[in-house]
Amino acid sequence: MSDVKKLAQQLMELDDQMVACMKCGMCQAVCPVFAETMQEADVTRGKIALLEKLAHELVKDPDQVNEKLNRCLLCGSCAANCPSGVNIMDIFIKARVIVTTYKGLSSAKKFIFKGLLTRPKLFNFLTDMSAKFQGPFEKVADEAAGTASCALLNPLLGERHFMPLAKRPFRKDYPSADTPRGTSGLKVAFFPGCVVDKMYPHVGHAAMDVLKYHGVGVFLPKGQACCGIPTLASGDQESFITLMKQNIKAFEEGNFDYLVTPCATCTSTIKETWIKMIEDENLVFIEKVKDLADKTMDITEFLVDVVGVTLPAEPKKSDRIVTYHDPCHLAKSLGVTEQPRALLKKSDKYEFKEMNEANRCCGCGGSFNLFHYDLSKSIGQRKADNVRAVGAEVVATSCPACMMQLGDMLSQSGGGIEVRHVLEIYADAIKK
Amino acid sequence: MSNAKLAKEFEKIVGAEGVLHTEADLHSYSYDSAVLDPAVPSLVIKPTTTAQLGPITKLCNENGLPLTVRGAGTNLSGGTIPHPGGIVVLTNGLNKILEINEEDLYAVVEPGVVTAQFAAEVAKRGLFYPPDPGSQAVSTLGGNVAENAGGLRGLKYGVTKDYVMGIDFFDVNGDLIKAGSRTVKCVTGYNLGGLMVASEGTLGVFSNIIFKLVPPPKASKAMMAVFDNIDKASETVSAIIANHIVPCTLELLDHVTIKYVEAFTKAGLPTEAQAILLIEVDGHPAEVADDAQKIVDICNKIGATSVRAAETAAERESLWFARRNALPALARARPTTVLEDATVPRSQIPAMIRGVNKIAEKYNISIGTFGHAGDGNLHPTILCDKRDEAEFHRVEEAVNEIFDVALSLKGTLSGEHGIGMAKSKWMIKETNQATLDYSLRMKKAIDPKGILNPGKIIEAS
Ligand SMILES: Cc1cc2nc3c(=O)[nH]c(=O)nc-3n(C[C@H](O)[C@H](O)[C@H](O)COP(=O)(O)OP(=O)(O)OC[C@H]3O[C@@H](n4cnc5c(N)ncnc54)[C@H](O)[C@@H]3O)c2cc1C
Ligand code: SF4
Ligand code: SF4
Ligand code: SF4
């Protein structure tokens, strides 16, 4: 049997889900990639049609389909708006796994995922070393956004204004923790996520401060790994499961009510994606994953809905404006939109003002940003324009990946606007 | 000419980026929203200026190449499924609003402007473009004209054709034909603009379109009436009109649809109800209040089990929520959704719904019916799985019969979705051979080589 035939057969497993797409085309209204290119193959309907045709062997070239399939942010905007309720994210992720298994990972990805990500110790060591050596070659690009540019890294990063690796990662200060329940009577497990650990440790610190302030006990085990989404988005299911197992093992020991993260992407991965990829695992393991997923929550949601932070009676008036960008993984996958705004409204420094299209994707999309930088940039530019239009001094969000993208876009378009995590603003407000 | 050579010729007109030719690209333009078999074009051409439409059309004609124009590809009748091996011309890059004239109340647009974006721009200037097809968030104005699309406001405000003042279009020789004008009145020559409306890309390629705008209504009021009997609901529709009240919207949801909507949204709809009417009146505030009261009285008199009027914007929203979710809710029930479009004179709505329900029973399929009761335009929506051959065969039989019933009630094959490929073979049933012959002769004279969207409307294969 030819390989392509095998590929087609595997894709047929998705047929039940794909057939639910009635080709109404309504996804054209919300897909940020389509808005830039206006090409059918770049919108959900086109991608599903191509996958169906590959499955039925009407299209013969899997590389072309794969190329189209990867021109997607996995932002979920289409899924959130699809009238037929097609499980678009499941289809796209599983299709990426099937196609990658057929084609094999690129050697660069193989190196990064299998060689680095799944070995947290080595990964940490290398990023620590880079943090030490990156200094002399970088120059500060924008003070407010905290970005840098680096001529040496141009071949890899292009003209990006990236977030430099933090001098001191979060885990150096919190290698582990296990504090008792305080006044709230609650205890959470804390999952900072890679980006917070390595680039935005101050977000991790803000989270710890806020939890302490509200009398919430924290369990932070050694041996946490990446949530795995970069590997899965590239179709590497094997590394994804390895990472998931490392995490399950790390959190197994703790006794906590919720698992919270300051990263929208990590939350939606742990809460929704893990469970979908482990049909073949044993029941005990599936039970553990389910249990952890049930406990997982975005940290702003936890603070407002569980701890009970309330809105101030009077909205603050000020000419210093903070606005909010809805991360796709929070707003579209998990429906968390009010809670981060509530925390921002608590700020004593800023007035909260809504920007236009606050819930439109910023264009980051993980490795989408690496492979389709131009597209990612034009999508991000629209976001940067909206931030500027509302007159914000600060744009806050609740996903560190979004923070990277917002930083790059704002910094490149003139700079001068701070990019911060909601928790940082809230932590400042309660310190007084 | 070979494909590669043709591609080169098209590149001369639209540049290299404007010619899509990879396998994946071609297959992405092989289908639309209709449940029909796809067909793959040989090239896809994406112009960036309306002037390029002329040379593109000319080149196709010279080479006898079938040409299908595609807006958003949301039509439900296969109008944008290309002739196998033909050319697809995309208009979504032609999306400039050229003029909104606030003094003379008209606008000039390119054909690829998205309907909702146009309506929003018009609204920003304090004016109103009423046609609002359910697909307006993505559909193009060129597509709307070519399908004569209508929307929820059709009853009072009419459909797309009522707003077309003029159309510039290219004929097969690539020459620009000008029809209509910016004046309210215009009888200069044949009504060629009118000929383009509902032509589904078979008579010319639209360039700029002039649309009429109107002042927006000052007030509106929405209400929901619940019935335990579908005849009472239809009687109410007739009674409202007979009392000389013309609501802007008058929508009906049948029992099956209500059940699905409720299961999906948990919005608190009365699942035992046999029908719901959603009614909105708009206009001058005093007239709105007066009309709304009269409608409530009529509903009560005919025997609605309850009538609720929205007092706040939020309540109005919650009323329309059910209507907006009718299609999504039905679509989620089974893999394939066949949305039909049979339309009957208003008084025949109960007969039509009874007919549809009988057909559902006879063929053992589920059909939910909702639609624009005010204008008799119903959407019997068949829920099935097209991969189940036996079932899908029954669906096809059922669709045949639905049209027979609609025609026997003096209705029409299509209220708004067009004929395309899907209903071409039934044209003869509604009209007659002479009508088809007349249309074919006209088509032959305008398009002797038959390159403009062949196989659609009158050319049942
Ligand atoms: C969810 C959903 C809801 C819908 N609701 C409604 C509704 O409420 N009312 C309604 O009337 N329809 C409705 N439709 C059908 C459809 O959206 C309309 O017919 C719409 O007008 C099509 O616009 P389009 O831009 O997608 O055109 P397309 O589908 O791309 O094209 C339609 C036809 O127009 C021709 N055409 C397009 N542009 C040009 C041009 N520039 N010159 C010449 N020919 C051209 C094409 O060749 C084709 O024959 C709905 C469809 C969906 C999927
Ligand atoms: S909105 Fe959903 S059903 Fe419609 S075309 Fe897109 S994916 Fe398919
Ligand atoms: S996930 Fe986002 S980028 Fe991908 S198809 Fe859907 S809307 Fe477009
Ligand atoms: S970084 Fe945030 S907004 Fe941007 S793609 Fe990811 S989730 Fe979407």
Side-chain angles (χ1 to χ4, degrees), chain A residues 31-33 44 47 72-78 89 92:
Chain A
C31 173
V33 179
T44 326
K47 293 186 179 109
C72 166
L73 294 149
L74 297 178
C75 69
S77 307
C78 49
M89 293 303 104
F92 285 174

Side-chain angles (χ1 to χ4, degrees), chain A residues 210-230:
Chain A
V210 168
L211 291 171
K212 190 165 170 202
Y213 173 87
H214 285 291
V216 178
V218 178
F219 172 67
L220 186 119
K222 275 202 165 76
Q224 291 188 35
C226 164
C227 72
I229 197 67

Side-chain angles (χ1 to χ4, degrees), chain A residues 23 40 45 53 60-61 64, chain B residues 23-24 27 30-31 33 73:
Chain A
K23 306 288 184 297
E40 182 79 20
R45 177 172 72 163
K53 288 188 168 212
K60 310 271 184 269
D61 187 347
Q64 281 183 23
Chain B
E23 186 190 33
H27 275 270
S30 63
Y31 59 84
S33 303

